[in-house]
Amino acid sequence: MAQQLELGMISSTWLGTKIGLEEGIRKAKEIGFDSYDIFEDPLDIDDEARKLINETCDEVGLPIRSVVCVNFGLVDFNPSVERFAMDRATAYIDQGAYFGARNILLVIGEYYWDGEVFPNEAIWGFAVDRVRRLGEYAQSKGLEVVIELEPFTQALMKDVDELARFVREVDHPAVRANADISHLHLSRASFDDVKKLQDMIGHIHLSDCDGERHGDLPAGRGATPIKDYLQAIVDTGYSGTVSIELEYSPDPDKIVEWVEEAYRETSKIMDELDVRDGARV
């Protein structure tokens, strides 16, 4: 039998819509999701909101798997910004531990000044050092740090090769890779390229795109060969969570239908691959 995966979604789906914090959790469970990822900055919400998230997820039986942190300051050369970025990232880890999450999903950032002031190698070094320290802290809290591939020209993690190189250089057991399926497609990764992430993958994001621009569309609305990429990921031995990412719906008033479509079409792909079994993950 193939590795078994659970199907989750990221709470950022509801941003800019009529669906609030608590209702979003209840809707996700009602639609059929196995788990939930939280996109809430710990510096922007309070303990009451955290308690509401935790208690609602516990009540409906929707475990939190990941907390999502976009943190471009991690590669800033200014010591004050580094301190803030690291403190903010550790606050995410603490929040993830409170939620009982498995990981903090980290978007690191991009090269700047065309590498002419600080060489790209130096910026890369900032990231390696700081993520290694975050990995150490995350491990002490029972979490992993998973690094997302970002398919943009100046992104540090712009393709599979750079993501795999980064995880190897950080060389910490609590630092792993997030394989975002539409980002794999946008970075022109082949299915064989996915093998380069063997034993490194700690989390999956799934969405569709037109193959040219970042889209975060429901499966089937774009040109991404989702089924083939997911099979390639399973072939690496990965078992865990596949989280649907659906930010910025074109029609916020129909966000529930948008999410239901994404759930239905992704479930169909997972069933065809015989990898869906949320109860056993």
Side-chain angles (χ1 to χ4, degrees):
M1 178 180 287
Q3 287 84 1
Q4 299 298 287
L5 309 177
E6 65 182 5
L7 180 56
M9 66 168 284
I10 307 173
S11 67
S12 54
T13 298
W14 310 117
L15 294 176
T17 76
K18 59 188 176 184
I19 304 296
L21 193 63
E22 180 180 358
E23 186 181 1
I25 296 168
R26 296 186 185 279
K27 282 290 182 186
K29 181 63 176 181
E30 179 184 313
I31 290 168
F33 287 98
D34 306 315
S35 63
Y36 208 56
D37 292 359
I38 300 297
F39 190 94
E40 295 288 345
D41 193 319
L43 305 188
D44 287 335
I45 64 171
D46 56 21
D47 288 343
E48 186 175 340
R50 272 184 283 275
K51 183 179 179 183
L52 176 64
I53 292 168
N54 224 19
E55 291 183 346
T56 306
C57 284
D58 284 346
E59 178 191 335
V60 303
L62 197 65
I64 297 168
R65 297 304 191 203
S66 182
V67 291
V68 181
C69 176
V70 179
N71 198 337
F72 284 14
L74 278 176
V75 293
D76 197 289
F77 64 93
N78 293 286
S80 59
V81 179
E82 176 192 357
R83 289 193 298 272
F84 173 77
M86 291 293 288
D87 287 348
R88 180 167 171 262
T90 56
Y92 270 94
I93 293 169
D94 290 339
Q95 180 165 277
Y98 173 75
F99 289 146
R102 291 174 175 169
N103 63 65
I104 167 179
L105 183 285
L106 189 60
V107 178
I108 294 174
E110 303 189 345
Y111 296 113
Y112 42 85
W113 288 332
D114 293 333
E116 295 179 11
V117 178
F118 278 87
N120 286 353
E121 293 80 7
I123 297 170
W124 178 273
F126 293 157
V128 168
D129 170 67
R130 294 164 192 180
V131 170
R132 186 181 293 126
R133 285 187 277 144
L134 289 176
E136 191 68 20
Y137 185 71
Q139 186 178 54
S140 75
K141 296 290 184 175
L143 278 75
E144 294 178 335
V145 178
V146 291
I147 309 299
E148 184 165 16
L149 187 157
E150 292 288 310
F152 307 109
T153 305
Q154 295 300 316
L156 274 73
M157 307 300 130
K158 68 179 183 297
D159 56 34
V160 168
D161 288 322
E162 293 297 84
L163 179 57
R165 178 167 77 97
F166 186 80
V167 173
R168 286 194 302 269
E169 290 190 19
V170 171
D171 191 25
H172 193 285
V175 177
R176 307 185 74 193
N178 172 68
D180 185 304
I181 286 177
S182 70
H183 292 186
L184 288 169
H185 187 45
L186 288 167
S187 68
R188 305 293 185 259
S190 70
F191 307 131
D192 282 342
D193 283 338
V194 177
K195 296 175 183 176
K196 298 173 183 177
L197 299 176
Q198 184 88 28
D199 300 324
M200 293 183 184
I201 301 175
H203 200 66
I204 302 296
H205 284 175
L206 187 149
S207 61
D208 210 338
C209 68
D210 64 7
E212 299 298 329
R213 295 181 62 82
H214 191 265
D216 284 346
L217 305 172
R221 285 198 174 231
T224 307
I226 292 173
K227 184 176 178 180
D228 296 306
Y229 277 124
L230 189 56
Q231 181 64 67
I233 289 166
V234 169
D235 288 345
T236 70
Y238 175 76
S239 62
T241 304
V242 174
S243 288
I244 290 177
E245 186 171 17
L246 295 172
E247 290 151 18
Y248 310 116
S249 167
D251 189 348
D253 290 336
K254 294 184 178 179
I255 187 61
V256 173
E257 292 89 339
W258 188 251
V259 177
E260 288 173 338
E261 176 186 340
Y263 174 84
R264 182 176 62 251
E265 296 304 314
T266 304
S267 292
K268 186 184 303 182
I269 292 170
M270 295 175 75
D271 288 343
E272 289 171 356
L273 294 175
D274 191 26
V275 296
R276 174 80 187 280
D277 189 355
R280 293 174 56 185
V281 177

